[in-house]
Amino acid sequence: MRNPNSVILVVAWVFLGGLSLVTAACGSEDDACGPGNDLVPALVAEGELDTFRVASIGVDEFKVSGTEAEHNTLVQANFSDFTDYMVTLAPRLDFLPNYPACYVITGQPTVSGAPVNLGIESVTFSGLIEPVVLSQVESGQIPPDLLPQRGFAGTEVGVDVASAGGADDFPAFSETLPAPLMPAPGRVGDTDWGDLMAVQDPSIGITVDRAYPLVVEWEPADGDVIEVKIIPNAGSSTDYMKLRCITFDDGCLEIPAGAIGHLALDDATNFKLRIERHNYVVHPIRDGDTVEAAAIIGLSASMETIVTR
């Protein structure tokens, strides 16, 4: 029988950008970056996702630096039954055992079947710069809302789901979680993040024969997860290649040279360099010992700039 906990991987890939929330590891404030130290947080407790009825709710603030700068916040929600939906995750290149936080996506996921929309009446978000209420339309979809500015107004975001409570509806619930701070990046390799934004066509050494790791630093701020991505951009020969590192918000990450070298095989002439701070909560809805449904709520604040090889 298929394990319902695998639904978290489905939701993470199709809605939250691929973050595997079930990887277990330990970390401490004394950890330094480098082999054996850049570990992956565990964000899901045993049994919290023992269901195929899963909600995905997100508030994602995104800031791009440079001449075509943008700053907006996407608010979205999805409520689905994944019973008849199967996914094989995209192949990836790992760098174990020394670098468990980083990997390169080398292909595309495959899926079969389709999720079924579950009913809700509304999703109300509090703690944002303006009130946001998402509602389901006749097709069963929930149109997202895009705020053309910073989205988080304070230190917390509240989510309130109203539901009629029928057999084909997702149960009503409320949850509150901390709003993430926009990352304050420090150095990327030998260059300050500020210099990367100020210099035209800044290079961070994305070469096939790179012989040393790339160190990324930022100001810690108690986020649940820090994610660093390097994504081929202009002239890319694939639409799936991506380097991703997921680790603790401790201020330092070391990206292995092999990951940079593999990324350099793409034909891209420049790359998106992104640092993201995430806060997550899983809200299980139980009937006694049975998990009837579960909601994954994610808040993120991300900063991106363009770099060359």
Side-chain angles (χ1 to χ4, degrees):
M1 179 179 295
R2 188 159 63 104
N3 182 356
N5 283 286
S6 65
V7 170
I8 184 63
L9 297 177
V10 175
V11 174
W13 275 94
V14 302
F15 187 80
L16 298 178
L19 181 58
S20 173
L21 304 183
V22 295
T23 303
C26 299
S28 76
E29 295 181 356
D30 295 329
D31 288 341
C33 57
N37 290 313
D38 293 321
L39 304 177
V40 185
L43 300 179
V44 179
E46 182 71 26
E48 284 186 330
L49 285 162
D50 193 15
T51 179
F52 289 112
R53 296 162 65 89
V54 179
S56 306
I57 301 171
V59 180
D60 305 298
E61 181 186 353
F62 183 63
K63 183 177 182 180
V64 177
S65 62
T67 57
E68 299 181 2
E70 63 176 293
H71 192 170
N72 55 50
T73 301
L74 180 65
V75 184
Q76 55 185 332
N78 180 67
F79 300 81
S80 298
D81 185 337
F82 288 93
T83 302
D84 297 321
Y85 184 66
M86 295 286 292
V87 62
T88 301
L89 298 182
R92 71 189 207 183
L93 179 64
D94 290 304
F95 299 90
L96 302 172
N98 289 332
Y99 295 97
C102 296
Y103 60 89
V104 176
I105 297 172
T106 59
Q108 296 174 302
T110 58
V111 300
S112 62
V116 176
N117 292 323
L118 297 173
I120 58 101
E121 293 179 343
S122 64
V123 187
T124 301
F125 296 82
S126 59
L128 303 182
I129 51 104
E130 63 182 56
V132 174
V133 180
L134 303 183
S135 300
Q136 202 164 38
V137 297
E138 188 174 347
S139 67
Q141 300 297 312
I142 302 173
D145 195 358
L146 185 65
L147 308 176
Q149 58 222 331
R150 173 163 175 79
F152 303 112
T155 59
E156 290 187 334
V157 173
V159 176
D160 184 77
V161 176
S163 171
D168 296 326
D169 297 326
F170 195 92
F173 74 94
S174 297
E175 184 63 83
T176 301
L177 64 163
L181 293 176
M182 178 64 67
R187 298 184 67 81
V188 180
D190 296 327
T191 307
D192 286 333
W193 183 278
D195 292 338
L196 289 179
M197 295 188 294
V199 175
Q200 185 175 5
D201 299 328
S203 171
I204 59 171
I206 301 177
T207 61
V208 174
D209 59 353
R210 186 181 177 101
Y212 52 93
L214 176 67
V215 178
V216 179
E217 297 177 339
W218 65 92
E219 186 68 29
D222 295 325
D224 290 331
V225 169
I226 284 288
E227 182 168 1
V228 175
K229 297 177 182 175
I230 304 178
I231 307 168
N233 191 37
S236 174
S237 53
T238 75
D239 58 2
Y240 52 79
M241 179 84 78
K242 181 186 302 182
L243 188 155
R244 302 181 71 242
C245 299
I246 302 166
T247 193
F248 288 89
D249 191 359
D250 58 8
C252 185
L253 167 74
E254 190 172 286
I255 302 175
I260 299 291
H262 192 88
L263 192 69
L265 297 174
D266 192 280
D267 293 328
T269 57
N270 62 34
F271 297 79
K272 297 177 181 179
L273 172 62
R274 186 181 304 168
I275 181 168
E276 307 173 357
R277 175 172 284 117
H278 297 266
N279 286 336
Y280 287 100
V281 68
V282 176
H283 183 106
I285 300 166
R286 304 178 186 272
D287 181 7
D289 294 333
T290 301
V291 178
E292 289 188 328
I296 307 163
I297 305 171
L299 311 178
S300 71
S302 307
M303 182 173 289
E304 178 180 285
T305 192
I306 300 295
V307 298
T308 66
R309 293 174 179 271

